[in-house]
Amino acid sequence: FVHAADLRHRHVALVDDAEHVVREVIDKRVRRLAWFASVQMARIVLDAVAISHGLEHFEIIAGTLRQTLGPAFFLVPPIDRYNSCVIYINPDSVSQDQSLFTTLAHEGIPGHLYQNVYFLSQCASDIRKILSFGSYSEGWATYVEHCAYTMDNGLSPALGELLARNASATLGLHALMDINIHYYGWDREQVASYLEQFFDIRGGGVADALFDAMLSSPANYLEYYVGYLEILIMRQQAEETLGDRFEAK
């Protein structure tokens, strides 16, 4: 599933990778799912004008820039029009058995979309609005992406926890290879040797793909992983300090 937002009715819309539409109705007392007939569409436009600091316009667009994009990205809105948001989805980067639930948790709500709309609606400093802190931004989105595995998504709690930890370990491996290649100067053979020794991954295909990915975007994975770790540390500190008074929400 992928997340979108229909805040006009205080609903959350879920759109799966087959472009079916599901609406989750949420109020202060009850949470229930209302399933609507599936529809085929290239994009979903959800207007939300009835809440303060909310979205006026939100689009999920599929099928554009297919040659150059990953699975999805959130287009940061202008600071003077932050309540008009766009998420791009590239169907060519998603296999039929791959869910976009966590990807759109990263790009949408509670990830980048929520992050940007909430911040820009609250921040009074124009200078602060134009400053960018990549590891904070991507660290938060990665943190909530991994949290999405344990949300009410149809998975068992144990499986959700396993998938979250696997996603964290996979991203950590990429960040480690980033350091080893660009700081310590590892070559392809060293990457392949490491993968074989610790992960029993044999053959050069995976190592070459990993090596090439690091070469194309130096320090990119560190921006995500280091920011994610910092937020995990802050949460741990908050839990230890607040004890029983800590609430994740």
Side-chain angles (χ1 to χ4, degrees):
F1 289 100
V2 301
H3 281 280
D6 182 3
L7 300 179
R8 179 179 56 188
H9 301 296
R10 299 179 182 274
H11 296 164
V12 175
L14 301 178
V15 185
D16 69 14
D17 49 5
E19 296 174 331
H20 298 168
V21 174
V22 180
R23 179 166 297 166
E24 183 181 18
V25 181
I26 299 175
D27 60 30
K28 294 180 180 179
R29 301 176 304 279
V30 180
R31 178 172 297 200
R32 66 184 178 85
L33 289 178
W35 293 79
F36 288 77
S38 64
V39 295
Q40 297 297 324
M41 56 181 64
R43 72 179 186 177
I44 300 106
V45 179
L46 301 170
D47 293 317
V49 297
I51 70 167
S52 60
H53 311 309
L55 298 173
E56 288 183 357
H57 186 70
F58 172 40
E59 295 183 8
I60 297 181
I61 302 176
T64 57
L65 305 177
R66 289 186 172 189
Q67 298 297 321
T68 57
L69 290 183
F73 74 88
F74 172 73
L75 186 63
V76 177
I79 62 174
D80 58 349
R81 193 162 51 87
Y82 61 83
N83 47 12
S84 181
C85 298
V86 176
I87 292 177
Y88 287 85
I89 299 173
N90 183 2
D92 289 351
S93 294
V94 182
S95 62
Q96 291 184 353
D97 59 350
Q98 179 182 356
S99 170
L100 286 174
F101 187 93
T102 54
T103 300
L104 267 293
H106 181 114
E107 305 297 347
I109 295 173
H112 288 315
L113 188 151
Y114 173 81
Q115 182 184 49
N116 280 270
V117 170
Y118 180 81
F119 169 73
L120 292 172
S121 71
Q122 301 295 314
C123 180
S125 170
D126 289 337
I127 292 296
R128 175 62 184 86
K129 289 177 181 178
I130 65 174
L131 297 177
S132 176
F133 302 91
S135 201
Y136 151 70
S137 177
E138 296 300 347
W140 167 258
T142 301
Y143 166 73
V144 298
E145 174 187 342
H146 293 173
C147 287
Y149 284 105
T150 58
M151 292 178 179
D152 185 11
N153 54 24
L155 298 175
S156 69
L159 179 58
E161 183 68 23
L162 175 63
L163 292 174
R165 292 180 181 273
N166 180 71
S168 177
T170 301
L171 183 60
L173 173 63
H174 283 72
L176 178 61
M177 291 301 100
D178 203 334
I179 294 173
N180 286 335
I181 291 169
H182 294 295
Y183 186 79
Y184 293 107
W186 279 20
D187 56 23
R188 294 177 187 271
E189 287 71 25
Q190 288 173 296
V191 172
S193 176
Y194 182 90
L195 294 179
E196 181 176 345
Q197 179 180 356
F198 292 101
F199 296 93
D200 197 29
I201 298 175
R202 303 175 186 276
V206 174
D208 284 341
L210 187 60
F211 190 87
D212 291 337
M214 298 305 106
L215 286 187
S216 64
S217 301
N220 178 61
Y221 288 92
L222 292 170
E223 186 175 57
Y224 289 73
Y225 195 64
V226 172
Y228 161 69
L229 292 180
E230 287 291 332
I231 290 175
L232 286 182
I233 291 171
M234 287 190 289
R235 173 166 179 162
Q236 181 181 4
Q237 291 173 339
E239 291 178 353
E240 293 172 352
T241 301
L242 296 174
D244 294 338
R245 292 179 293 123
F246 175 81
E247 292 185 11
K249 61 182 179 181

